[in-house]
Amino acid sequence: MLIILRKGCTVRRLGFTPLPVPGADRTAICVTGNRGAVDASSLAHLPGVLECIPVTRPYKMVSREVHAESTIVRVGEVAIGGGEPVVVAGPCSVETEARTLRIAEEVKAAGAVMFRAGAFKPRTSPYAFQGLGREGLVTLRKVREQVGLPVVSELVDNADLEAMCEHVDLIQVGARNMQNYALLKRLAEARRPVLLKRGMSATLEEWLMAAEYLLAGGNGQVVLCERGIRTFDDHARNTLDLNVVPLVRRVSHLPILVDPSHGVGERDRVRPMSRAALAAGAHGLLIETHTEPDQAYSDGQQTIDVATLRGILGDIAVLKGLESMAAS
Ligand code: PEP
Ligand code: MN
């Protein structure tokens, strides 16, 4: 149930959990914690109440029914969900300091506006490279300070949350942890921008319910990221579900990025799927990029080189031109 109040009005506790959603000329109160349907007639007559709207979706705060305006998440100077598509690029893992800084300089020169690299890597094999850990976070901080790009990195353990908040601008929750509710609850309290990747076999509803944990816990700075799902087919590492992009934009106000790298798993298909993602309405791309992709510490097979990244940024300029032609 969503209660729309006249501006300046508030509600007393009525035994529910009220979550205020402030807007320009009205305040909406999202009522949760109720068992069974809320009786609108008991609320509609209260002073200051303009309207009571039943929310039909299981996700509330994430839904456009509750929050009609699109959310823009700001990370440093970068606005995700605003007009311009954003490109976030970098290697899968943080590598040596010198190489990481060099990659960051090059992706910035190509036009990326944010740098992404994992310091803590959730790997399928316990024998695979697990990331440089805290040492990697220090390198990311140097990228932010010396190269001047905001940095994105994945949190896999709540024990590292404080260090992540200190060194990282946008905290990634990876596919494997999308439903790690302990992690989501702490990230809600941390009030830092979060990049929430879709779980590899998560339905749209499960994904948005995971985002709901963040918003219900008080953190509205959430960016969704489609990264491919498991299907029967094995021609790609995952099946990039671009179908979900316009749907997410319809049912939710949160911005959505697409990660074509994990979505296809082979570098030769990253550029065409980047174009497709933007044409489908993605607010930006997350692309694994390296100066020497074959030398990457992890996910080299799906990592593009900087020349290909430049090509994708050129494609974006062309797509923008087509959009303005269509609008004129
Ligand atoms: C990654 O971004 O490097 C990663 C591990 O992605 P995902 O969680 O989507 O598998
Ligand atoms: Mn990776």
mmCIF file of all heavy atoms in Angstrom, residues 92 116 121-122 154 172 174-176 197 227 259 262 288 299, ligand 1:
data_model
loop_
_atom_site.group_PDB
_atom_site.id
_atom_site.type_symbol
_atom_site.label_atom_id
_atom_site.label_comp_id
_atom_site.label_asym_id
_atom_site.label_seq_id
_atom_site.Cartn_x
_atom_site.Cartn_y
_atom_site.Cartn_z
ATOM 1 N N CYS A 92 39.380 -7.680 -14.980
ATOM 2 C CA CYS A 92 38.555 -8.453 -14.044
ATOM 3 C C CYS A 92 39.110 -8.296 -12.623
ATOM 4 O O CYS A 92 38.380 -8.012 -11.685
ATOM 5 C CB CYS A 92 38.570 -9.918 -14.479
ATOM 6 S SG CYS A 92 37.632 -10.999 -13.415
ATOM 7 N N ARG A 116 36.805 -0.290 -13.095
ATOM 8 C CA ARG A 116 36.365 -1.422 -12.283
ATOM 9 C C ARG A 116 37.404 -2.530 -12.286
ATOM 10 O O ARG A 116 37.943 -2.897 -13.342
ATOM 11 C CB ARG A 116 35.045 -1.982 -12.800
ATOM 12 C CG ARG A 116 34.352 -2.857 -11.767
ATOM 13 C CD ARG A 116 33.587 -3.948 -12.444
ATOM 14 N NE ARG A 116 34.522 -4.839 -13.085
ATOM 15 C CZ ARG A 116 34.532 -6.154 -12.924
ATOM 16 N NH1 ARG A 116 33.643 -6.725 -12.156
ATOM 17 N NH2 ARG A 116 35.414 -6.907 -13.535
ATOM 18 N N LYS A 121 38.134 -11.755 -5.345
ATOM 19 C CA LYS A 121 37.510 -12.451 -6.476
ATOM 20 C C LYS A 121 36.807 -13.726 -6.022
ATOM 21 O O LYS A 121 37.444 -14.613 -5.439
ATOM 22 C CB LYS A 121 38.578 -12.823 -7.529
ATOM 23 C CG LYS A 121 39.268 -11.666 -8.184
ATOM 24 C CD LYS A 121 38.332 -10.676 -8.854
ATOM 25 C CE LYS A 121 37.446 -11.237 -9.927
ATOM 26 N NZ LYS A 121 36.529 -10.200 -10.488
ATOM 27 N N PRO A 122 35.514 -13.837 -6.275
ATOM 28 C CA PRO A 122 34.824 -15.099 -5.981
ATOM 29 C C PRO A 122 35.057 -16.057 -7.139
ATOM 30 O O PRO A 122 34.494 -15.894 -8.210
ATOM 31 C CB PRO A 122 33.349 -14.659 -5.910
ATOM 32 C CG PRO A 122 33.262 -13.445 -6.791
ATOM 33 C CD PRO A 122 34.636 -12.848 -6.924
ATOM 34 N N GLU A 154 34.253 -5.350 -6.040
ATOM 35 C CA GLU A 154 33.267 -6.269 -5.440
ATOM 36 C C GLU A 154 33.552 -6.569 -3.974
ATOM 37 O O GLU A 154 34.682 -6.848 -3.590
ATOM 38 C CB GLU A 154 33.246 -7.579 -6.261
ATOM 39 C CG GLU A 154 32.278 -8.592 -5.683
ATOM 40 C CD GLU A 154 32.032 -9.803 -6.584
ATOM 41 O OE1 GLU A 154 32.466 -9.797 -7.758
ATOM 42 O OE2 GLU A 154 31.400 -10.756 -6.084
ATOM 43 N N GLN A 172 30.327 -3.284 -5.669
ATOM 44 C CA GLN A 172 29.652 -4.310 -6.471
ATOM 45 C C GLN A 172 29.238 -5.500 -5.600
ATOM 46 O O GLN A 172 30.015 -5.971 -4.773
ATOM 47 C CB GLN A 172 30.609 -4.779 -7.567
ATOM 48 C CG GLN A 172 30.088 -5.930 -8.408
ATOM 49 C CD GLN A 172 31.037 -6.263 -9.561
ATOM 50 O OE1 GLN A 172 31.631 -5.380 -10.180
ATOM 51 N NE2 GLN A 172 31.186 -7.538 -9.843
ATOM 52 N N GLY A 174 28.321 -9.203 -6.480
ATOM 53 C CA GLY A 174 28.439 -10.061 -7.653
ATOM 54 C C GLY A 174 27.267 -11.030 -7.768
ATOM 55 O O GLY A 174 26.456 -11.179 -6.837
ATOM 56 N N ALA A 175 27.196 -11.688 -8.934
ATOM 57 C CA ALA A 175 26.101 -12.618 -9.221
ATOM 58 C C ALA A 175 25.962 -13.670 -8.114
ATOM 59 O O ALA A 175 24.859 -14.007 -7.696
ATOM 60 C CB ALA A 175 26.373 -13.289 -10.563
ATOM 61 N N ARG A 176 27.108 -14.169 -7.624
ATOM 62 C CA ARG A 176 27.058 -15.247 -6.629
ATOM 63 C C ARG A 176 26.514 -14.788 -5.291
ATOM 64 O O ARG A 176 26.116 -15.591 -4.459
ATOM 65 C CB ARG A 176 28.460 -15.841 -6.455
ATOM 66 C CG ARG A 176 28.906 -16.639 -7.664
ATOM 67 C CD ARG A 176 30.418 -16.740 -7.763
ATOM 68 N NE ARG A 176 30.818 -17.293 -9.044
ATOM 69 C CZ ARG A 176 30.861 -16.578 -10.182
ATOM 70 N NH1 ARG A 176 30.515 -15.296 -10.192
ATOM 71 N NH2 ARG A 176 31.223 -17.152 -11.305
ATOM 72 N N LYS A 197 24.581 -6.943 -9.242
ATOM 73 C CA LYS A 197 24.521 -7.813 -10.417
ATOM 74 C C LYS A 197 23.410 -8.845 -10.250
ATOM 75 O O LYS A 197 23.084 -9.247 -9.129
ATOM 76 C CB LYS A 197 25.874 -8.498 -10.618
ATOM 77 C CG LYS A 197 26.937 -7.545 -11.135
ATOM 78 C CD LYS A 197 28.161 -8.311 -11.537
ATOM 79 C CE LYS A 197 28.778 -7.758 -12.789
ATOM 80 N NZ LYS A 197 29.756 -8.707 -13.343
ATOM 81 N N ARG A 227 24.096 -9.474 -16.276
ATOM 82 C CA ARG A 227 25.401 -10.061 -16.638
ATOM 83 C C ARG A 227 25.258 -11.453 -17.231
ATOM 84 O O ARG A 227 26.210 -12.209 -17.294
ATOM 85 C CB ARG A 227 26.348 -10.059 -15.438
ATOM 86 C CG ARG A 227 25.760 -10.559 -14.167
ATOM 87 C CD ARG A 227 25.587 -12.046 -14.071
ATOM 88 N NE ARG A 227 26.860 -12.717 -13.893
ATOM 89 C CZ ARG A 227 27.053 -13.999 -14.147
ATOM 90 N NH1 ARG A 227 26.061 -14.764 -14.585
ATOM 91 N NH2 ARG A 227 28.232 -14.551 -13.957
ATOM 92 N N ASP A 259 26.576 -5.910 -18.482
ATOM 93 C CA ASP A 259 27.948 -6.425 -18.515
ATOM 94 C C ASP A 259 28.010 -7.486 -19.618
ATOM 95 O O ASP A 259 27.662 -8.639 -19.400
ATOM 96 C CB ASP A 259 28.265 -7.035 -17.133
ATOM 97 C CG ASP A 259 29.519 -7.895 -17.115
ATOM 98 O OD1 ASP A 259 30.167 -8.068 -18.169
ATOM 99 O OD2 ASP A 259 29.849 -8.421 -16.039
ATOM 100 N N HIS A 262 30.811 -10.868 -19.032
ATOM 101 C CA HIS A 262 30.386 -12.123 -18.402
ATOM 102 C C HIS A 262 29.171 -12.698 -19.126
ATOM 103 O O HIS A 262 28.910 -13.896 -19.049
ATOM 104 C CB HIS A 262 30.090 -11.902 -16.919
ATOM 105 C CG HIS A 262 31.320 -11.552 -16.133
ATOM 106 N ND1 HIS A 262 31.799 -10.271 -16.041
ATOM 107 C CD2 HIS A 262 32.201 -12.332 -15.459
ATOM 108 C CE1 HIS A 262 32.905 -10.269 -15.323
ATOM 109 N NE2 HIS A 262 33.179 -11.507 -14.968
ATOM 110 N N GLU A 288 34.995 -5.676 -19.275
ATOM 111 C CA GLU A 288 36.345 -6.063 -18.856
ATOM 112 C C GLU A 288 37.331 -5.704 -19.969
ATOM 113 O O GLU A 288 37.209 -6.184 -21.112
ATOM 114 C CB GLU A 288 36.383 -7.554 -18.499
ATOM 115 C CG GLU A 288 35.647 -7.760 -17.178
ATOM 116 C CD GLU A 288 35.737 -9.141 -16.562
ATOM 117 O OE1 GLU A 288 35.957 -10.111 -17.304
ATOM 118 O OE2 GLU A 288 35.559 -9.242 -15.331
ATOM 119 N N ASP A 299 39.759 -14.061 -16.268
ATOM 120 C CA ASP A 299 38.782 -13.754 -17.324
ATOM 121 C C ASP A 299 39.382 -13.120 -18.594
ATOM 122 O O ASP A 299 38.700 -12.355 -19.293
ATOM 123 C CB ASP A 299 37.643 -12.860 -16.774
ATOM 124 C CG ASP A 299 36.619 -13.652 -15.958
ATOM 125 O OD1 ASP A 299 36.689 -14.901 -15.973
ATOM 126 O OD2 ASP A 299 35.753 -13.033 -15.327
HETATM 127 C C1 PEP B 1 33.136 -9.925 -12.112
HETATM 128 O O1 PEP B 1 32.500 -8.867 -12.278
HETATM 129 O O2 PEP B 1 34.343 -10.065 -12.351
HETATM 130 C C2 PEP B 1 32.345 -11.089 -11.680
HETATM 131 C C3 PEP B 1 32.855 -12.057 -10.946
HETATM 132 O O3 PEP B 1 31.093 -11.019 -12.174
HETATM 133 P P1 PEP B 1 29.785 -11.885 -11.851
HETATM 134 O O4 PEP B 1 29.516 -11.695 -10.396
HETATM 135 O O5 PEP B 1 28.765 -11.257 -12.745
HETATM 136 O O6 PEP B 1 30.101 -13.300 -12.220
#
